[in-house]
Amino acid sequence: TNNTKQHFGSMAAPAPLLAALSLLVLPHSPRVSGSCLGGGGEVSSSSNDGGTLGSRAPQEETRVANIRSKLMKAFTARAYGPIDEVVEESHINIPEPKQGELLIRVKACSLAPGDVRNLRGDCDLLGPKTPFTIGGDIAGVVVKIGPKTPPRVLEAEKAFEKVNEKFAQREAMMRKKWGELEGSPPLVPSPRPLQIKLQNYLEDKKRIANSTPGPTDRYRVGDRVCAMFDFRPTGGLAQYAIVKVKNAARIPPSLSFRKAAALSSSGLAAMLLAKSQVKPGDRVLVLGASGGVGTHLVQFLKKFGASYVAVTSTATRLMTSLGADDVIDYRTEEWSEIEKYQGRNRFDLIIDLVGTYDSWKKAKRLKVLKGGLSGGRYTTLVGDDRYMQIHSMMDVLSLLRRYTHRQLWTRLFWPLYPRYTWFLDGLEPANGNLDALLSLVDKREVKCVLDPASPFRFTLHSIKKALHLQESYRGKGKVVVDVH
C-alpha cells in the first residue's frame, strides 16, 4: 500500500489540468452553435419508436417533456432561394446568453430589406449560413441575463471540474482494487499545489467580474426592451432571441412592442442620417420616402432644420401628414425634369433611398441639384443597386472601388459635381442613440409609422405574406409581425 501511495504521489499533472490552464492562456475560439441568434438551431422532428405514449416509462416521459421545454417556435430559411420555397416553421433550441447578452422573450419583430437579401442569398459571402432564423429587429421582455464572468474563465472552470472527477475516479478505482474501507485515508493524494493555485485564480476572476459594474447591470429580468441585430439581421422571428446589450434600449411605458421593434434600425438610421447630413435652411429631396426609413426621415429632416422637403411617393396623404412640403408621384412625373425645382430653386441635398445608378446620373446633371461649389450634396443609403450581389471577395473589392472612386472624384472636382456620400453610419445604437430615439417618440416629437397591413400573425402563411410585402418595396411604413 505504501508503495502504491508513493507511485501515485510522483505522477505529473494530468492532461485535463493542463487543458484547464490552456483555456486561460491560449486565444479563445468563438462559440459556434446552431441555437445562437444567427443560427437555425437544431430542428426537431417527431418520431415514433413503435411504442405508444401510454406504454412509455415515466422516466422517458419526463425526458421528452424536458426536451420539449427547451425548444421554441421559429421561422427559418432552410436554404437560399424564393420565399415560398425556403421559409418554414421549425422548433429549435432556446439559446443561452453569454457575457454581455440578454435573452429576450420576443413580442414583436419588424422586417427590413436585409431580411429579403438574406433569404435570396444576394450577399451569401457575408450573410448567415443556412439554416438560419429570419428577422433581426425585435422588441420583448428580458427573461435571462448573461453571466458577468468571462467565457474563458467559465470554460476553464468546467475543465477544472473534470480534473477533480479524474481524481475521484482514480481513488474509487484504487479502493476497489486494494479493498480499502470507505472511512480510510485516500489512496490518491490531495490536489497538487498547481491545482489549488488554478482554483484560487478562477475564484478570484469570478469574484472580480461579479463585483465590477458591467453593461448588463442596467437591465433586470422583466424589463421591456427593443434591440437591433448585431451584424447580420437574423434570429428575430422566434419566441426567444439573444441580443447584445450594446444594441438594446428600454422601451418607454407609452410605446407598444410593435412600434419599438419598428424603430430599432429604420428609425435609428433615419435619425442619424438627418442629423449628420442636413444643414439649417436646406432644401431637400428624398427619393423613395414611403418605406420604413423614409417615413421617419421626413420628420427628422424638418426637426434638424430643413426649410423645404420634397419626396417621391404615391402615398400623398401620408407624406403630407409627416411634414413633406411637396409629394412627387413618380408614376406621372419625372423628378429630375420638374421646372419649379430648377434654377434658383434647386435642392441643396438629395437623399436616395431607392438604390439605382440612374438616380445619381440624373442628379449630377445639376438641373435640380446644386453643384459642389454651391454646397450641393447627394447622399445614398443603399448604393446603386437595391439587389446588391456579394458572392466573393472580388465583388467586395469591386463595390469598394466603385464607391470610393466616386466619393474621391466628387471631392476633387467639387465645383463640377455635387458631393457624393454613401452613408454607412446609420446603424449605430451605442452612445445612447437608440435611447434618444425612443425618448423623442415617447415625447411625440416623432411619429412611428407602421404599414397598414401590420401587424402580421405568427403563422407560416402570414410570415410569407409579410416577407412578400417587404420584397415588393410597396410598404407604407414598417412591416411588423406579432410574435407569440
Side-chain angles (χ1 to χ4, degrees), residues 302-334:
K302 285 285 189 172
K303 180 175 179 58
F304 290 121
S307 62
Y308 188 91
V309 177
V311 301
T312 62
S313 173
T314 58
T316 304
R317 183 177 299 178
L318 172 62
M319 291 293 104
T320 303
S321 69
L322 296 176
D325 298 290
D326 187 26
V327 182
I328 304 168
D329 189 339
Y330 58 84
R331 297 172 301 183
T332 58
E333 293 183 276
E334 173 52 57

Side-chain angles (χ1 to χ4, degrees), residues 40-52:
E42 179 184 347
V43 180
S44 69
S45 59
S46 58
S47 61
N48 191 346
D49 57 3
T52 63

Side-chain angles (χ1 to χ4, degrees), residues 210-383:
N210 291 327
S211 61
T212 303
T216 55
D217 291 343
R218 60 183 294 224
Y219 295 102
R220 297 288 182 271
V221 172
D223 284 349
R224 301 168 72 247
V225 299
C226 65
M228 61 170 290
F229 57 90
D230 188 40
F231 176 66
R232 303 178 182 93
T234 56
L237 284 176
Q239 292 174 316
Y240 295 89
I242 294 289
V243 300
K244 299 282 188 181
V245 172
K246 65 178 183 179
N247 296 338
R250 275 199 189 89
I251 303 173
S254 65
L255 283 187
S256 66
F257 287 117
R258 295 169 186 168
K259 291 184 177 180
L263 293 166
S264 298
S265 64
S266 295
L268 183 64
M271 183 183 76
L272 297 180
L273 175 59
K275 189 176 182 179
S276 66
Q277 299 296 309
V278 74
K279 298 178 181 178
D282 273 351
R283 292 170 55 82
V284 185
L285 170 64
V286 181
L287 306 178
S290 301
V293 175
T295 50
H296 298 99
L297 179 61
V298 171
Q299 302 175 70
F300 281 114
L301 289 172
K302 285 285 189 172
K303 180 175 179 58
F304 290 121
S307 62
Y308 188 91
V309 177
V311 301
T312 62
S313 173
T314 58
T316 304
R317 183 177 299 178
L318 172 62
M319 291 293 104
T320 303
S321 69
L322 296 176
D325 298 290
D326 187 26
V327 182
I328 304 168
D329 189 339
Y330 58 84
R331 297 172 301 183
T332 58
E333 293 183 276
E334 173 52 57
W335 59 268
S336 61
E337 301 294 337
I338 299 177
E339 290 188 9
K340 68 177 180 178
Y341 293 135
Q342 298 180 15
R344 305 179 75 176
N345 291 325
R346 289 182 298 173
F347 293 104
D348 299 284
L349 173 64
I350 291 180
I351 299 177
D352 179 18
L353 302 179
V354 177
T356 62
Y357 179 68
D358 189 53
S359 298
W360 165 242
K361 284 173 58 179
K362 294 175 182 177
K364 68 180 182 179
R365 295 173 190 161
L366 305 184
K367 276 191 174 183
V368 298
L369 178 63
K370 295 178 181 178
L373 189 62
S374 303
R377 289 107 60 208
Y378 183 96
T379 300
T380 178
L381 195 64
V382 288

Side-chain angles (χ1 to χ4, degrees), residues 2 5 22 98 130 171 204 215 233 260 267 303 330-331 394:
N2 292 333
K5 291 182 179 180
S22 69
K98 297 190 300 182
T130 57
E171 181 177 354
D204 288 343
K303 180 175 179 58
Y330 58 84
R331 297 172 301 183
M394 290 301 297

